[in-house]
Amino acid sequence: MNIRTRRENNTDQRGGDLRIETRRRWVRFALYYGTPPGSHIGFWRTRGRFSDDSLLRGWNLRVGRRYLGPCLTLLVHTRAR
């Protein structure tokens, strides 16, 4: 098992994530505060494929102002390795 953390501070957002990796999968928990990167506010699901045909799945929650910010974004994603 491998645990990684990352912090990010830029002009639009501040936050970071915690990523837990095992031999078979990784799980990412992220929290960001600032101007939203898009207009999506609320709760939605993530499902997408990568070029190596692995599937990313997860849940996202964003609360705050839609266009002007600030907002709080919480992401929980998982992917097979």
Side-chain angles (χ1 to χ4, degrees), residues 41-65:
I41 296 291
F43 188 67
W44 72 98
R45 187 174 176 184
T46 297
R47 292 182 69 191
R49 291 209 177 269
F50 286 89
S51 59
D52 64 357
D53 209 29
S54 63
L55 184 63
L56 175 75
R57 295 179 184 193
W59 296 97
N60 311 286
L61 174 65
R62 183 177 292 144
V63 292
R65 295 184 179 172

Side-chain angles (χ1 to χ4, degrees), residues 3-16:
I3 299 174
R4 297 182 189 182
T5 60
R6 181 181 66 167
R7 290 183 60 181
E8 186 175 333
N9 286 323
N10 58 46
T11 57
D12 295 327
Q13 289 193 340
R14 286 182 288 181

Side-chain angles (χ1 to χ4, degrees), residues 30-44:
L31 184 66
Y32 291 94
Y33 180 78
T35 305
S39 62
H40 202 118
I41 296 291
F43 188 67
W44 72 98

Side-chain angles (χ1 to χ4, degrees), residues 17-20 25-30 44-47 50 55-61 73-80:
D17 60 27
L18 172 73
R19 186 166 153 170
I20 301 169
R25 134 169 341 271
W26 61 253
V27 178
R28 174 184 175 223
F29 302 92
W44 72 98
R45 187 174 176 184
T46 297
R47 292 182 69 191
F50 286 89
L55 184 63
L56 175 75
R57 295 179 184 193
W59 296 97
N60 311 286
L61 174 65
T73 305
L74 173 65
L75 312 168
V76 178
H77 294 150
T78 185
R79 177 181 174 193

